Amino acid sequence: MNRKEFIQTSSLGIAAFFFLGMGSFFGKSPDPVGEKSKSPTEVLEKEVVIIGSGYGGSVAALRLCEQNIPVTLLEMGLNWEKSGEKYSPMINPGHSAAWLKTKTIAPFMNLFRLEKFTGALDRLDFEHIKIWVGRGVGGGSLVNGGMAVTPKKEYFKEIFPDLNSEKFYSHYFPLANKELKTNVASEDFLKDCDYYKFNSVGEEEAKNAGFKTVRVPNVYDFKYMEKEYKNEVPRSALAGEVIYGNNYGKNSLDKTYLKKASATGKLEILELHQVNHIAQKSDKSYSIDISIINTKGEEIKHRIINTKKLILSAGTMGSLELLLKSKAFNQFPIDNNIGKEWGNNGNFMTGRNFVKGLSGGTGSKQSTIPVGGIDHWDDKEHPFFVEIAPLPMGLNVATSLYLMVNKLKKFGEVSYDLKEQKLDLNWDKSHTAHMKNNAKYFLRTMNKANGGTRSHLLFHNGFGADICYHPLGGIVLGKATDQFGRLNGHDNFYVIDGSLIPGTVGVNPFVTITAIAEYCIEEIIKKDFAQHI
């Protein structure tokens, strides 16, 4: 491989590490639905079941357990903390990198062959878009870049006109940030740390172009990072870890919400439990068909769990698949709003090559945790939010990477293909055309002020329209559910995850998902679990 091919291959996906946003419970059943399992079937009765351990499921688990309510949490991936497995490094990754793949899927440097294993990162491929998700207890929090951004208040009000935005910004958002352990890096540390030269260069050039820069909070513990820099503790962000999980430093959900929930003694976590489909019984309770799998993805036991109260928090794509698939196979009752108002949160990747002599490059050593953003959201013609991304290739390159978050002008729609037994996504270039125009405007403005060109080797001639880290919508709050996540037509079935957000939130979404989950479960406990309190 020559230098040009190396840079193109590695750059394509190294950008991806930093933005992965949310968990999913999406996956094909080891045995087709409707066929008799070869494994013995075990039937269990559980009081409350949560499917998925991402942001929504973790919030629900903690608040229910705090009320002394026993909770069974189903996760298709590993409980990484208890497994003894280590997360893989980005260079020369091991089997823990990808979910049941024989090759890495970053998409970067996909030259690495893998042994099939229930790894931390998965990718869902559709015709015009690829969606990255996390696997394991903690969902997407295991593999994302940790950017904890609260959305613009006016845009939140536009997206959710029926919610009390004042209470969200005075209570639910602060609560979410507190529980997630959001923090901000010290400006003195960022100034002195040579691993953040890429960010200082990016901010300087943005200011030269007339853009407003902002400091981006994160759930990575920056006090830990300061110790990393001094070589006082094992390195993680400064050792290139993130997309396949951080072994140290990051406050993922297994170290925050789920840790507190487990401490109550009321939480049962069942790992490697892959939900195949859901049925509603005659008494309005629910039956969950599950394949218990090994780390090669093979079914080792077939299990049915019955419950009267079910919370679906499988991530946007996972929750959509389970509802649509269950309707197709079991006539599970859902209304026509399921699958509507899906979006990619305006995700659009791009990059630029700048004049190296002006800045001396971005540094050969780069932290994997972003700390800087460009706020251009209030511009009437070209509204967007941009993250200044690292490119830790071990080379002092003159390239900057950006994840743009845009508004949506056209929603996608998710359906289920019964013949192919998989989700179908109505999404094409028409959905991202205005995002590409914003990227062109952004790059022109940056290059005019600083010199430089679009990074033609990145993505598709410099434009990554088919990359999605933040799938949202499809089970929209107040449309497919009531105002608190109760699924239409059901009294004891709840959806609490990113699928409640109609396609876009203007920034990385996990703080918003967490705040909405706090809001929903508070009301659900008050009204639907009063007899337990």
Side-chain angles (χ1 to χ4, degrees), residues 75-270:
E75 169 56 51
M76 72 185 293
L78 279 173
N79 188 334
W80 288 93
E81 187 175 15
K82 293 185 177 180
S83 70
E85 291 281 344
K86 286 289 189 180
Y87 295 115
S88 283
M90 295 183 297
I91 303 301
N92 194 27
H95 65 267
S96 64
W99 177 263
L100 301 177
K101 301 292 192 298
T102 57
K103 195 175 181 182
T104 51
I105 52 168
F108 72 100
M109 295 193 68
N110 289 322
L111 310 171
F112 298 109
R113 294 289 176 183
L114 300 174
E115 196 179 312
K116 283 185 75 173
F117 186 79
T118 49
L121 183 68
D122 200 359
R123 190 184 72 197
L124 317 177
D125 294 349
F126 298 92
E127 183 177 0
H128 296 288
I129 194 169
K130 296 178 176 65
I131 302 171
W132 281 264
V133 297
R135 299 289 188 215
V137 174
S141 75
L142 301 177
V143 297
N144 65 23
M147 288 78 73
V149 196
T150 299
K152 294 273 189 177
K153 188 173 183 179
E154 289 304 312
Y155 194 52
F156 182 82
K157 290 169 68 175
E158 181 182 330
I159 297 167
F160 292 111
D162 296 327
L163 296 185
N164 183 343
S165 60
E166 297 302 324
K167 187 168 184 179
F168 265 85
Y169 283 81
S170 66
H171 176 66
Y172 295 115
F173 281 122
L175 175 61
N177 279 297
K178 177 184 176 182
E179 295 286 7
L180 293 167
K181 298 186 178 180
T182 296
N183 68 144
V184 180
S186 159
E187 293 300 319
D188 289 338
F189 171 68
L190 295 179
K191 181 180 178 181
D192 295 338
C193 181
D194 51 357
Y195 285 78
Y196 277 105
K197 184 178 180 182
F198 78 90
N199 184 75
S200 60
V201 169
E203 289 183 345
E204 178 184 357
E205 296 205 336
K207 290 175 182 176
N208 291 342
F211 291 115
K212 174 186 174 184
T213 62
V214 294
R215 183 66 56 239
V216 179
N218 206 286
V219 297
Y220 197 94
D221 185 345
F222 286 110
K223 293 299 182 185
Y224 185 93
M225 190 186 291
E226 290 181 21
K227 292 179 181 179
E228 284 184 72
Y229 190 53
K230 297 175 183 177
N231 288 312
E232 296 176 354
V233 293
R235 289 189 167 187
S236 186
L238 303 189
E241 293 179 353
V242 68
I243 193 170
Y244 303 131
N246 285 88
N247 287 301
Y248 309 98
K250 186 163 69 172
N251 286 309
S252 47
L253 289 167
D254 53 321
K255 297 178 175 66
T256 56
Y257 275 95
L258 291 175
K259 184 176 182 179
K260 289 179 70 173
S262 295
T264 67
K266 291 296 180 178
L267 179 62
E268 175 187 37
I269 298 176
L270 300 180

Side-chain angles (χ1 to χ4, degrees), residues 449-509:
N450 299 287
T453 61
R454 182 169 81 247
S455 293
H456 296 277
L457 295 179
L458 294 177
F459 315 113
H460 305 283
N461 198 25
F463 297 121
D466 60 346
I467 292 173
C468 177
Y469 312 112
H470 307 149
L472 297 172
I475 315 174
V476 172
L477 190 72
K479 295 182 179 179
T481 74
D482 72 357
Q483 288 296 335
F484 300 97
R486 297 181 185 91
L487 191 68
N488 289 349
H490 297 260
D491 294 326
N492 295 294
F493 191 112
Y494 314 91
V495 178
I496 306 179
D497 59 20
S499 65
L500 296 175
I501 301 172
T504 173
V505 74
V507 291
N508 299 68

Side-chain angles (χ1 to χ4, degrees), residues 34-47:
E35 292 187 10
K36 186 176 181 181
S37 172
K38 298 176 183 178
S39 306
T41 298
E42 178 184 48
V43 180
L44 302 177
E45 304 290 329
K46 299 292 181 180
E47 190 168 349

